[in-house]
Amino acid sequence: MDESLSHNDEAHASSSHSGSRRGGWITFPFITYPSYDYELLYCAGALVGLTLTAGGWLSNLIVFLIEEFNVKSIDAAQIANVVNGSSSFFPIIGAIVADSLFGSFSVISISSCISLLGIIVLALTASLNSLRPQPCVVGSELCQPTSTLQDAVLYTGIALASIGLGGTRYTLATMGANQFDKPKNQASFFNWYFFTLYSTTAVALTVIVYIEDNAGWRWGFGLCVLTNIIGLAVFLTGTRFYNIDKPQGSPFVALARVVVAAFRKRKLQLSSESKDYYDGHDGVKEGIVTGTLSTTFRFLNRAAQKIEGDIRSDGSIAKPWRLSTMQQVEDFKTIIRILPLWSTTIFLSTPLGVQSSMIVLQALSMDRHIGPHFKMPSGSVIVIVLLSTAISLTLIDRFLCPVWQKLTGRSPTPLQRIGLGHVLNVLSMALSALVESKRLKIAKANHLQPVVPMQAFWLFPQLVLAGIGEAFHFPGQVALYYQEFPVSLRSTSTAMISLVIGIAFYLSTGVINLVQRVTGWLPNDINKGKLDNVYWMLVVVGVLNFGYYLVCAKLYKYQNVKGADVNSGSADSENDN
């Protein structure tokens, strides 16, 4: 978030592209949001447009299903969790396709078009009465079910919009980070990226959701169509500025060969001589691996050990599934080492998935009036998390990191940031339990009225804590994966956090289903339930998961020296030499 960085990167990009102005901070307006250093000040940015679209339909999906398709509240929350999970799974598919076949630029462009098609279908369901069931009779629990056609159109639109969202969000992060060479600039980019992502989503959850609740769903979804078109147009406008990396084929095939080759040579006696291991074609060293292989997971070293018949006379591999390079073996080891840390994020994000769906139902049963004339949409309550995260990201980048560096001589490492996120997440769940306990007491005192005489503002502190936690752990995770993953898996690295979120949303759906079956804590009328017990359960899970994280973090060793201090001056000076 240092404006001076733009000039350095611009100079680097200029020199590395024979005078063409590619890469660096000049691409930021097109990928994220307006930069005041360039003539394209008026551009909102691809991320802004596409995030407004996603926030406009996804954040208010629970209310849309309840009001327009007569879905019961808990069922609507479950559907929203599945959709959130699916839209978070798709980025890993988009990342694999980007890394292996088409590159980030093509995947983003195609996915933006798919997203546009999906939101157009959703706009049609909101506009045409034949695509929606008749509304429920007031005071009656009998509602007209949806027809097969109505279900097909609705879920087709949701599926297309989810696929489009999945192919753009984290692939944009990779493409943006690829414009820079220095870890400090990449870390700063990720901070700005998440700041833009959260602040724009906050706008969607207030402006677009308000339009949907007050002017009508067709107007809200129509606005989403417009923002999608603008986002796609802006992204394509910046084509001539981008530093576009060409895919080098599937890195996953190379990683699979490591396993196969190691298994085939499982009876081979490991050599202690570095000359017995394959460095690369014609003896050219690949990547960062020189000398000998690491001693961890030594059984995999056999994949790079040469035997008769493995190498042709020109130095190339004769049998690809019997021999891998030393770099490929080390890349595979890196992924194995980081998987335990990655797994801790699943149980960090699962409580957030439960909270994000339950908070809408809590808000629906609380007083949401702000003044005598304005009533806050229930789907907008979650905007507090986004605002909290956006503000916290700014404070972390501009104040916390510099102060930390002055006191300790280095900036917070990604692992330290993730650890703080764990702690804040547990505190948020504990506060959620206390607030819900108070809400239930008021509900019982008022004879379980549908709307409890308790201000929705009581939900804000727990959401603020959750937002601060996200400001620490989400950018920390993306920076960690981006730094530590093999270069050939850069798009996949930034999508790993999305994969975690997808798994977490599915787990949160499973948690809610399990709680419904085993306990009476979550009836359709949450005023008659014990949602506070669910939150206390998540606190226990969070504490246990934090302990697991501390063990994993203690045992983990950075594979990339720059990754251990991505913002520090020492790292920069090291790169400059």
Side-chain angles (χ1 to χ4, degrees):
M1 300 173 82
D2 186 350
E3 291 182 5
S4 64
L5 296 177
S6 60
H7 304 293
N8 296 333
D9 276 291
E10 215 177 301
H12 169 76
S14 180
S15 63
S16 63
H17 292 278
S18 305
S20 64
R21 204 179 185 189
R22 289 181 179 271
W25 289 97
I26 193 172
T27 60
F28 198 56
F30 303 98
I31 296 175
T32 55
Y33 85 117
S35 170
Y36 293 95
D37 293 336
Y38 302 100
E39 65 275 17
L40 296 169
L41 177 65
Y42 56 86
C43 289
L47 180 63
V48 171
L50 296 174
T51 302
L52 284 173
T53 301
W57 73 267
L58 186 56
S59 61
N60 213 19
L61 181 61
I62 294 177
V63 180
F64 179 65
L65 294 174
I66 293 173
E67 293 185 353
E68 300 296 316
F69 283 84
N70 303 334
V71 179
K72 294 181 179 180
S73 59
I74 297 295
D75 291 339
Q78 294 290 70
I79 293 172
N81 278 340
V82 171
V83 172
N84 274 292
S86 299
S87 62
S88 296
F89 267 122
F90 292 135
I92 198 69
I93 299 174
I96 292 172
V97 172
D99 282 333
S100 306
L101 300 173
F102 303 116
S104 298
F105 178 83
S106 297
V107 169
I108 294 169
S109 302
I110 295 171
S111 298
S112 299
C113 294
I114 295 174
S115 171
L116 178 61
L117 182 60
I119 195 63
I120 288 175
V121 173
L122 288 178
L124 289 175
T125 65
S127 302
L128 302 178
N129 293 333
S130 60
L131 296 179
R132 301 191 311 277
Q134 292 296 318
C136 298
V137 179
V138 178
S140 172
E141 295 184 358
L142 297 176
C143 301
Q144 179 181 338
T146 54
S147 66
T148 303
L149 174 63
Q150 291 167 346
D151 282 336
V153 174
L154 171 66
Y155 292 111
T156 296
I158 291 176
L160 290 173
S162 299
I163 293 171
L165 170 62
T168 56
R169 178 163 290 178
Y170 290 95
T171 312
L172 273 168
T174 300
M175 185 170 175
N178 285 346
Q179 311 303 313
F180 308 101
D181 294 328
K182 295 181 179 180
K184 179 178 180 180
N185 295 358
Q186 291 165 354
S188 185
F189 168 81
F190 283 130
N191 279 345
W192 272 118
Y193 179 88
F194 277 96
F195 171 82
T196 305
L197 177 66
Y198 279 86
S199 57
T200 304
T201 305
V203 173
L205 264 67
T206 50
V207 177
I208 298 182
V209 170
Y210 180 81
I211 292 173
E212 289 168 350
D213 283 5
N214 292 274
W217 292 98
R218 59 181 176 180
W219 291 103
F221 287 160
L223 183 57
C224 289
V225 172
L226 179 61
T227 56
N228 194 308
I229 293 173
I230 293 174
L232 175 59
V234 171
F235 178 73
L236 295 177
T237 300
T239 302
R240 65 191 182 96
F241 294 107
Y242 301 142
N243 181 14
I244 300 176
D245 294 333
K246 295 182 179 179
Q248 302 298 320
S250 175
F252 297 96
V253 173
L255 296 177
R257 287 172 178 167
V258 173
V259 179
V260 174
F263 178 78
R264 286 184 169 182
K265 296 179 178 179
R266 61 189 180 280
K267 296 181 180 180
L268 182 67
Q269 182 69 32
L270 278 170
S271 173
S272 58
E273 298 291 330
S274 60
K275 63 182 179 64
D276 292 332
Y277 295 92
Y278 184 65
D279 280 335
H281 180 56
D282 290 334
V284 177
K285 307 291 184 183
E286 293 189 349
I288 61 172
V289 176
T290 58
T292 59
L293 289 162
S294 62
T295 56
T296 55
F297 306 111
R298 290 182 72 245
F299 63 92
L300 291 173
N301 292 354
R302 292 184 176 88
Q305 188 169 336
K306 296 179 288 187
I307 60 175
E308 186 177 354
D310 282 349
I311 306 296
R312 296 192 181 99
S313 58
D314 63 355
S316 62
I317 297 176
K319 299 176 180 179
W321 290 94
R322 291 190 63 88
L323 181 67
S324 299
T325 66
M326 295 170 67
Q327 181 65 55
Q328 289 167 346
V329 172
E330 288 302 307
D331 286 349
F332 189 78
K333 289 182 179 181
T334 297
I335 294 175
I336 294 177
R337 292 187 192 103
I338 208 169
L339 281 178
L341 275 172
W342 174 79
S343 67
T344 66
T345 312
I346 296 174
F347 295 102
L348 171 63
S349 301
T350 298
L352 296 174
V354 175
Q355 185 188 56
S356 65
S357 56
M358 292 297 105
I359 205 78
V360 176
L361 301 183
Q362 288 176 277
L364 280 170
S365 65
M366 299 174 75
D367 183 4
R368 291 174 279 120
H369 284 91
I370 302 175
H373 304 296
F374 180 77
K375 186 178 182 181
M376 178 175 55
S378 58
S380 296
V381 174
I382 202 71
V383 77
I384 302 301
V385 175
L386 306 173
L387 292 175
S388 174
T389 303
I391 294 171
S392 299
L393 283 168
T394 305
L395 295 176
I396 290 169
D397 191 80
R398 303 300 294 180
F399 298 103
L400 178 62
C401 287
V403 171
W404 189 300
Q405 187 167 351
K406 287 181 180 179
L407 294 176
T408 65
R410 59 188 300 175
S411 294
T413 65
L415 290 179
Q416 290 169 335
R417 294 181 67 165
I418 297 170
L420 285 171
H422 275 269
V423 174
L424 290 166
N425 182 56
V426 171
L427 293 176
S428 174
M429 293 303 126
L431 188 55
S432 297
L434 294 173
V435 171
E436 175 61 10
S437 179
K438 179 179 177 63
R439 193 191 69 82
L440 288 174
K441 288 180 181 178
I442 297 176
K444 291 177 181 178
N446 287 270
H447 309 292
L448 301 177
Q449 295 179 6
V451 177
V452 177
M454 179 181 178
Q455 286 288 331
F457 295 126
W458 279 91
L459 301 173
F460 288 7
Q462 67 204 48
L463 298 177
V464 170
L465 273 178
I468 298 173
E470 290 189 20
F472 278 102
H473 68 78
F474 276 151
Q477 290 173 66
V478 173
L480 176 67
Y481 303 146
Y482 187 85
Q483 289 292 329
E484 297 293 279
F485 265 55
V487 174
S488 59
L489 293 172
R490 282 286 168 81
S491 292
T492 304
S493 69
T494 56
M496 288 297 286
I497 181 60
S498 181
L499 179 61
V500 165
I501 295 172
I503 295 173
F505 270 112
Y506 281 125
L507 278 179
S508 65
T509 302
V511 168
I512 293 174
N513 278 333
L514 181 63
V515 169
Q516 279 188 303
R517 291 181 181 183
V518 176
T519 72
W521 295 348
L522 288 177
N524 279 310
D525 184 354
I526 62 170
N527 289 339
K528 300 176 181 178
K530 293 289 293 182
L531 180 56
D532 54 338
N533 286 351
V534 178
Y535 284 128
W536 284 124
M537 179 186 68
L538 296 176
V539 169
V540 174
V541 172
V543 171
L544 294 175
N545 186 52
F546 180 54
Y548 171 49
Y549 171 80
L550 291 177
V551 173
C552 294
K554 182 69 175 178
L555 296 176
Y556 185 77
K557 293 182 179 179
Y558 286 102
Q559 307 307 307
N560 184 342
V561 175
K562 295 178 291 185
D565 200 11
V566 291
N567 285 330
S568 69
S570 61
D572 284 331
S573 61
E574 198 175 300
N575 289 339
D576 292 338
N577 292 335

